[in-house]
Amino acid sequence: MEDIAKLIKTIEQNLFLPKQLYSCEFNPTLGHYVYGIGYSIIEDCSILSCGCCIAESLYYDIIKVTKNELIHCPVCKSKNVSVIGPVKPLRSLYSQIQSFKDDSEGENSDLTDEITPTDRNLSVKDIKHHEETQQPISKIMDISTQSVKTTNEAIPFPLVQSKTSSQQRDIPHSKDIQRNQTNLLNLFFKIATKVNSTEGDNPEYNLESTSGVNTSENSPPNVFLQKANTNSQEKKYDFVSELVSLTNKSNTIATERLSQESNNGQYKVMKNNTNNMKPLVSPNFDEKKEYYFANCFPIYRKRYTFKTHSKFLKTKSKLFINTAISPNCFKFALISKHKWEVYSIPSDLNKSSPSLLFCGRNTGEYGKTFDTLNPFDPSILMNTDNKVTIGEYVYCKLSDDLLIISDTKNSIQIFDLNQDGKMIHYYCSKYYVRCIDIDPSGKIVACGIAGKDRKTNVEQALITLHRIDRNKMTSQYEFLSPITIALPYRDPINTIQLSMDGLYLSCSTTMESRFLIISLRNVNEPRLIMKSLRSIDTSLESEGITDTKLFPGNSNLMCVTSTAFNSPPIIINTKIEDISNLRSVAQPSLLNKFSDLGSKIHRCEISPRNDSIAFLDKNGSVYLVCAPNMIDNEKRRTVIVEMVADAYRAHESASMKFSSDGHVLYILDRKGVLYVEDFAYDLPQHSEITRCKEIS
């Protein structure tokens, strides 16, 4: 029995992780809070976005004290980390160890240090309070002041003891803790797919919906947990959590938020304020798929190819002007000079292929096939002074329910995909429309316009915001008067992109290669919050900046691509969250440069996991850059995922979109060919799994 007790004690050390917050002070020199952290055996293990495991209660204690939505990791000191979800196998391991301790209580009293028999009926928070009162002060440590750097590991470990500690004790070395975590990680992968997916369900948890102003009906909920009954001696904290956010930063599997050991507690699940909502991964979490993804990404994938049009001639395919993929990856659009087509993307590509949903012409006709088109409905022009002018299509964008198209006659046409592609709005501008975009929720359409000042007749860069609302009584779309933004530059706008949450608008200019960020938190009063420029070649062959994308859920990071001499894609720190007053404008700083990808990148697409970026170059090569963070080049892996149709100009290049869980990359080129790269189809040994070409 003693051998079993020693084995259990050894296994229990895998749960020796950061648990208590004893001090928290802001250090102006370091620019962040310095924590006094206590290590102990934890029962509520959760994983952060940086890949470190800590007690869930510790994370929310830090949030409560610092009042920050994003904090720095108390282990590796990564900035702007957030909790991803519970590590259910570790929590189950804790419960199994405690059950063994209770069974062998009379024979092995040394295994019952953490929870006494009187604590068996306490709730999770009561147990936490009991441990705080019984734990010796010697386990208090400050992990934010110093760190150890060795050749084999880069994870800092505390060396300096907190001021509140009164005596010195033996502290486990960081290598021992990391070795225990690695061993447990192997065990975790073996049992992850066998864990009952309903283990965390509890009828005492209920979902209370509240409407938000900035979220769509199909957007995943952002929820927080708040305990209903608490002890009067305990600290009252608001438990903020993103239940459906997943990651593979440490090749682990995020599981359900509510674990079995918390069944005695009474919690309410309520929807959070949508003003701070972050783009999240799909709530339809599949542990099996996540396990496959952890083993395959980014090297192995199942590859699909679907051609929407046959070749007119043996040597020439039909070319489309522009393409788009919907945010939920259920639809994609193709436009030629006079026609538009919308296709479906089936959920199971092994059983069915994309099929035509709706189509139409630039005359306003629409329908399910070109042979059965419905005539244009002139009633949409009743309350406007516009007259329909027929021009050639140039750009298109998709939301989940709307198709936006601009043409050479400076018009913006909006089609409702829930009404067979019927045109529901028509707007004609006085000036040339250079680029368009729509936010994923389908509430704002942004247009970059080359206008002229009425008094001086000097060209000026303008942006118009078309707001889309729904009538609460009839559920019909309503289009409010557009808002015009005049930029303080004469340089025409080249690209425009709305962030995933619709709170920011990034754009770039043509001649001087400036890139800007405009805050839309108050859409009626847009504000310039960041500006900068790239010193790149402006010759005739140069296209300047071709894409500017903010990271989903992290507006402090942005990827900028360009096609010009010696101008590879870069990652910048926007610093927009550090703005102190309304009149200040952030000055970004360079974080990383991907020189190995070349200087002819047309597009980029960022995974919702924030750990990988897909790049498309001028020749049609699709690169996938994967790293736990986009700053550390030593851990970065670069592969070529696909070769698609090339494009002479950026607006003709292929569209790319990641699925909401980050498992699948969709690519649609100007030949109408859809490429699907599924990194969670099966294990690398499967016969249908192929290997990507590794670059670095």
Side-chain angles (χ1 to χ4, degrees):
M1 195 64 181
E2 293 182 358
D3 295 335
I4 297 178
K6 291 181 180 179
L7 178 61
I8 294 298
K9 196 72 175 179
T10 302
I11 296 177
E12 192 179 35
Q13 291 303 312
N14 291 294
L15 300 173
F16 189 84
L17 296 169
K19 182 175 183 179
Q20 286 92 11
L21 177 66
Y22 291 97
S23 64
C24 184
E25 298 180 356
F26 184 80
N27 190 324
T29 304
L30 299 177
H32 58 71
Y33 285 89
V34 176
Y35 310 136
I37 305 298
Y39 277 64
S40 183
I41 305 300
I42 66 173
E43 74 279 3
D44 54 344
C45 181
S46 294
I47 186 170
L48 302 179
S49 57
C50 60
C52 298
C53 292
I54 65 172
E56 181 181 359
S57 57
L58 171 61
Y59 176 82
Y60 296 120
D61 288 352
I62 295 175
I63 282 188
K64 181 63 178 179
V65 175
T66 62
K67 298 181 180 180
N68 287 336
E69 184 180 4
L70 296 175
I71 63 175
H72 76 274
C73 175
V75 178
C76 67
K77 299 183 181 179
S78 298
K79 295 183 179 180
N80 297 334
V81 299
S82 59
V83 67
I84 294 170
V87 184
K88 186 161 58 178
L90 291 181
R91 296 191 178 193
S92 299
L93 179 63
Y94 177 87
S95 299
Q96 294 169 7
I97 292 176
Q98 296 308 316
S99 298
F100 178 84
K101 288 181 179 181
D102 293 341
D103 294 339
S104 59
E105 175 185 348
E107 300 178 5
N108 300 284
S109 58
D110 58 324
L111 294 179
T112 59
D113 295 335
E114 291 295 326
I115 302 178
T116 61
T118 58
D119 295 321
R120 293 175 188 170
N121 297 324
L122 297 179
S123 64
V124 175
K125 198 163 187 178
D126 293 330
I127 294 174
K128 173 181 179 295
H129 175 72
H130 177 79
E131 291 174 349
E132 291 178 348
T133 58
Q134 298 297 326
Q135 177 173 304
I137 302 179
S138 59
K139 291 186 179 180
I140 303 173
M141 292 174 289
D142 185 355
I143 70 168
S144 300
T145 54
Q146 291 188 7
S147 61
V148 175
K149 296 183 180 179
T150 65
T151 57
N152 296 327
E153 58 176 325
I155 300 179
F157 189 78
L159 287 180
V160 180
Q161 194 173 12
S162 176
K163 296 179 181 179
T164 58
S165 178
S166 60
Q167 44 184 314
Q168 298 289 338
R169 300 286 182 115
D170 293 334
I171 300 175
H173 194 269
S174 59
K175 290 184 178 181
D176 297 332
I177 292 181
Q178 188 176 11
R179 188 181 302 111
N180 291 334
Q181 291 175 344
T182 304
N183 295 337
L184 192 60
L185 182 64
N186 297 332
L187 175 63
F188 173 58
F189 277 120
K190 293 180 181 179
I191 67 173
T193 56
K194 299 180 181 179
V195 176
N196 188 349
S197 60
T198 62
E199 182 180 356
D201 296 340
N202 189 345
E204 295 181 358
Y205 297 81
N206 47 46
L207 186 65
E208 299 179 7
S209 301
T210 57
S211 59
V213 294
N214 294 329
T215 56
S216 62
E217 296 177 358
N218 297 328
S219 60
N222 185 20
V223 300
F224 68 94
L225 299 178
Q226 185 176 12
K227 193 165 185 180
N229 298 325
T230 56
N231 194 328
S232 60
Q233 297 179 356
E234 298 169 351
K235 299 179 181 179
K236 298 181 180 179
Y237 294 145
D238 291 334
F239 287 76
V240 183
S241 173
E242 297 172 351
L243 298 189
V244 294
S245 182
L246 310 174
T247 188
N248 68 323
K249 297 297 174 61
S250 60
N251 289 333
T252 58
I253 301 176
T255 54
E256 293 126 16
R257 183 69 180 174
L258 306 178
S259 58
Q260 188 176 8
E261 66 268 22
S262 61
N263 286 343
N264 292 329
Q266 296 180 2
Y267 292 86
K268 285 184 179 180
V269 182
M270 296 178 290
K271 189 174 284 189
N272 194 11
N273 189 347
T274 56
N275 291 333
N276 296 324
M277 190 187 75
K278 303 300 180 184
L280 303 177
V281 183
S282 172
N284 300 324
F285 174 55
D286 188 341
E287 285 187 354
K288 187 176 181 180
K289 290 290 186 182
E290 191 72 18
Y291 177 68
Y292 292 156
F293 180 80
N295 282 272
C296 292
F297 189 79
I299 304 299
Y300 302 96
R301 89 287 196 209
K302 170 66 183 296
R303 180 174 177 267
Y304 300 88
T305 304
F306 301 98
K307 296 182 179 180
T308 58
H309 294 76
S310 59
K311 295 182 179 180
F312 292 125
L313 299 174
K314 292 183 178 181
T315 59
K316 187 176 181 180
S317 300
K318 182 177 181 179
L319 298 179
F320 293 91
I321 301 299
N322 203 229
T323 61
I325 303 174
S326 65
N328 58 11
C329 298
F330 290 165
K331 307 180 187 73
F332 66 86
L334 302 167
I335 62 170
S336 57
K337 291 183 178 181
H338 306 289
K339 299 178 182 180
W340 61 266
E341 304 169 15
V342 174
Y343 289 80
S344 66
I345 302 178
S347 57
D348 191 349
L349 295 172
N350 292 312
K351 297 181 179 179
S352 57
S353 58
S355 59
L356 179 65
L357 290 177
F358 316 111
C359 56
R361 301 181 184 275
N362 58 347
T363 56
E365 299 173 294
Y366 67 97
K368 294 185 177 180
T369 64
F370 283 107
D371 297 331
T372 59
L373 292 179
N374 301 313
F376 169 71
D377 184 7
S379 62
I380 63 172
L381 303 175
M382 291 180 58
N383 298 325
T384 65
D385 298 331
N386 293 324
K387 295 181 180 180
V388 175
T389 56
I390 301 175
E392 295 181 352
Y393 287 150
V394 181
Y395 299 105
C396 70
K397 292 292 179 180
L398 264 181
S399 69
D400 293 338
D401 300 315
L402 299 175
L403 170 65
I404 318 297
I405 302 180
S406 65
D407 61 15
T408 55
K409 296 296 184 179
N410 308 331
S411 70
I412 305 295
Q413 303 172 20
I414 301 179
F415 303 86
D416 188 358
L417 301 182
N418 294 322
Q419 301 185 46
D420 296 342
K422 177 183 177 181
M423 185 189 298
I424 59 174
H425 184 67
Y426 180 89
Y427 175 83
C428 188
S429 174
K430 297 180 181 179
Y431 306 108
Y432 180 64
V433 178
R434 299 183 58 88
C435 49
I436 61 173
D437 195 19
I438 183 171
D439 72 310
S441 64
K443 293 184 177 180
I444 299 177
V445 177
C447 306
I449 296 176
K452 290 185 178 181
D453 187 90
R454 295 181 179 179
K455 297 181 179 180
T456 61
N457 202 30
V458 176
E459 288 190 0
Q460 189 174 16
L462 302 176
I463 297 176
T464 59
L465 301 177
H466 300 262
R467 295 164 295 169
I468 304 175
D469 200 359
R470 283 217 176 199
N471 190 297
K472 296 181 179 179
M473 300 296 294
T474 63
S475 297
Q476 298 294 323
Y477 285 103
E478 294 181 347
F479 300 90
L480 307 180
S481 300
I483 298 175
T484 302
I485 305 173
L487 299 183
Y489 308 107
R490 299 179 182 179
D491 200 4
I493 296 176
N494 191 33
T495 65
I496 191 168
Q497 288 88 22
L498 286 158
S499 62
M500 289 292 292
D501 52 13
L503 299 180
Y504 300 101
L505 183 148
S506 59
C507 61
S508 64
T509 61
T510 303
M511 302 303 297
E512 297 179 356
S513 298
R514 298 180 181 271
F515 53 96
L516 322 166
I517 296 180
I518 299 172
S519 174
L520 302 181
R521 290 186 175 273
N522 185 355
V523 69
N524 294 316
E525 297 180 2
R527 185 167 66 93
L528 178 65
I529 57 176
M530 192 214 76
K531 61 179 181 178
S532 185
L533 59 85
R534 293 197 70 180
S535 300
I536 58 178
D537 178 32
T538 57
S539 62
L540 295 178
E541 296 182 356
S542 171
E543 297 182 66
I545 296 177
T546 55
D547 208 353
T548 55
K549 289 277 177 61
L550 287 167
F551 277 59
N554 187 359
S555 56
N556 268 340
L557 294 179
M558 186 168 74
C559 182
V560 181
T561 66
S562 54
T563 301
F565 176 73
N566 196 22
S567 58
I570 58 175
I571 302 293
I572 65 169
N573 181 5
T574 62
K575 300 182 180 179
I576 61 178
E577 294 185 359
D578 299 334
I579 298 178
S580 58
N581 56 68
L582 295 177
R583 294 187 178 182
S584 60
V585 178
Q587 297 294 328
S589 61
L590 178 65
L591 294 179
N592 202 355
K593 182 182 294 186
F594 304 118
S595 301
D596 54 336
L597 300 182
S599 301
K600 296 181 179 180
I601 303 299
H602 274 163
R603 292 184 188 270
C604 69
E605 184 64 26
I606 303 170
S607 169
R609 296 169 176 265
N610 280 350
D611 63 348
S612 55
I613 306 178
F615 293 97
L616 172 68
D617 72 0
K618 190 173 184 178
N619 298 324
S621 299
V622 179
Y623 300 92
L624 188 62
V625 178
C626 174
N629 58 65
M630 289 298 155
I631 304 175
D632 189 359
N633 289 329
E634 294 182 358
K635 298 181 180 179
R636 195 179 79 191
R637 304 184 73 177
T638 305
V639 299
I640 295 181
V641 178
E642 194 60 77
M643 288 292 298
V644 302
D646 59 351
Y648 182 69
R649 288 294 179 182
H651 73 274
E652 299 176 349
S653 61
S655 300
M656 299 186 296
K657 188 74 66 176
F658 278 97
S659 60
S660 58
D661 53 15
H663 292 173
V664 185
L665 174 63
Y666 297 86
I667 310 166
L668 179 65
D669 66 12
R670 62 177 182 152
K671 292 184 178 180
V673 181
L674 177 67
Y675 301 87
V676 182
E677 317 295 330
D678 190 352
F679 294 91
Y681 181 78
D682 210 316
L683 293 175
Q685 296 80 14
H686 195 276
S687 59
E688 297 184 41
I689 301 296
T690 56
R691 184 184 180 94
C692 300
K693 182 180 179 181
E694 294 189 61
I695 302 299
S696 61

